[in-house]
Amino acid sequence: MSVDLTGTYLTLDDGRPAVRFSRTYDQLLDRVWQFVTDPDELAQWFPSRAEFDLRPGGTVTFSGDPNMPESTGRVLAVEAPRNLSFEWGGDELHFDLEEVEEKRTRFTLTNVLSAANTASRNGAGWEVCLTALDAKAHGARVEGPHAGAGASWKAFYDGYLAAGIPSGAPVPRLG
């Protein structure tokens, strides 16, 4: 099964590896901000439920991810409703929102990786999650990022491997 990869592997100016995804939604900036920061909205597409203390240095509590134990992270930066950055599982996540036209918002997710060899695995995971967010943004009912995501994740992972994106990190349930 061939898939369209939407993530880009890059090296940031400080030398850290990252994968980046961008979408444009026919939604107001404040609505897309809710998708990113409201725990009930986020749980419909993000791998974990996340509860935020939305201030720099605030705690983020993660739960409900079948591939990770409950954990906490730290808010690195927040500028509502445009930017949110936080630590998650050893990585950093940066959400940048930009109003591009009236009632249209560009959503950019940058996953700054703790190790380059996680790029294919994480890229595939974000493809599945963002497919759920795309459906949500278009008004479709979403059962969450883990609902039936297994088969499509593997196709995305194989696509990233074929594209030569760094790999080799352990993959839950793939042995």
Side-chain angles (χ1 to χ4, degrees):
M1 172 175 148
S2 178
V3 293
D4 291 326
L5 302 178
T6 65
T8 302
Y9 177 75
L10 61 145
T11 303
L12 302 176
D13 290 343
D14 63 8
R16 294 184 297 168
V19 288
R20 179 172 290 152
F21 299 84
S22 187
R23 306 281 200 272
T24 300
Y25 294 121
D26 292 330
Q27 299 283 343
L28 294 171
L29 181 69
D30 287 337
R31 179 67 181 124
V32 179
W33 181 251
Q34 288 177 330
F35 293 160
V36 172
T37 59
D38 179 279
D40 293 329
E41 298 277 354
L42 193 65
Q44 294 179 40
W45 67 271
F46 192 77
S48 296
R49 180 175 180 82
E51 305 267 348
F52 295 97
D53 175 3
L54 275 178
R55 61 179 177 80
T59 299
V60 186
T61 304
F62 303 100
S63 61
D65 184 333
N67 298 310
M68 288 181 67
E70 289 190 15
S71 62
T72 59
R74 182 174 53 95
V75 174
L76 301 172
V78 60
E79 183 187 332
R82 299 188 181 281
N83 308 97
L84 174 63
S85 300
F86 57 89
E87 299 170 338
W88 182 57
D91 288 354
E92 289 179 14
L93 298 181
H94 299 262
F95 294 92
D96 296 294
L97 309 179
E98 175 187 5
E99 187 175 67
V100 291
E101 300 173 15
E102 185 178 347
K103 297 184 180 181
R104 295 193 82 208
T105 301
R106 180 176 298 121
F107 164 100
T108 302
L109 164 60
T110 304
N111 180 181
V112 182
L113 305 166
S114 58
N117 73 349
T118 62
S120 286
R121 180 191 71 195
N122 289 21
W126 289 122
E127 295 282 4
V128 172
C129 291
L130 293 174
T131 297
L133 178 57
D134 294 347
K136 179 173 182 47
H138 290 100
R141 179 164 165 65
V142 178
E143 297 295 330
H146 303 292
S152 61
W153 179 89
K154 181 71 166 86
F156 283 120
Y157 183 66
D158 290 344
Y160 279 106
L161 292 177
I165 304 302
S167 63
V171 177
R173 293 187 248 162
L174 264 192

